[in-house]
Amino acid sequence: MASERPARVGSLTISVDVPELSAPRAGAFQAVISHCTVKNTLEVPPEITITLSDSSGTRSSESPDNACVDRVPADGGRDSGVTL
């Protein structure tokens, strides 16, 4: 975990075990995995929209421009049945 706010993952290390990969192919493989979709997404985060609904179908949305974090209880919503 990162030490600064907001709470987030501070770093990730990915280890790829590739048996029987020749040295000439290793460079090409490294280039391919360094441009994978998940890595690119983590480096350039997508816009995230949070949509809440209740049993009646009422919905509300929070875009990244709205500070919805302040409205989440300190317990992360555990007591309210909200899963984060």
Side-chain angles (χ1 to χ4, degrees):
M1 295 296 288
S3 58
E4 66 274 356
R5 296 268 184 215
R8 62 183 183 81
V9 174
S11 66
L12 297 171
T13 300
I14 300 171
S15 176
V16 180
D17 182 20
V18 185
E20 301 180 35
L21 183 64
S22 66
R25 305 283 297 178
F29 187 68
Q30 179 67 39
V32 168
I33 62 175
S34 70
H35 296 290
C36 79
T37 303
V38 173
K39 181 180 176 289
N40 292 341
T41 301
L42 292 171
E43 289 182 334
V44 182
E47 180 178 313
I48 298 172
T49 300
I50 299 171
T51 303
L52 303 176
S53 62
D54 60 20
S55 59
S56 69
T58 304
R59 293 178 177 246
S60 64
S61 294
E62 289 290 343
S63 67
D65 295 334
N66 295 328
C68 65
V69 174
D70 292 339
R71 288 179 240 148
V72 175
D75 69 353
R78 287 180 205 78
D79 290 338
S80 63
V82 174
T83 302
L84 299 175

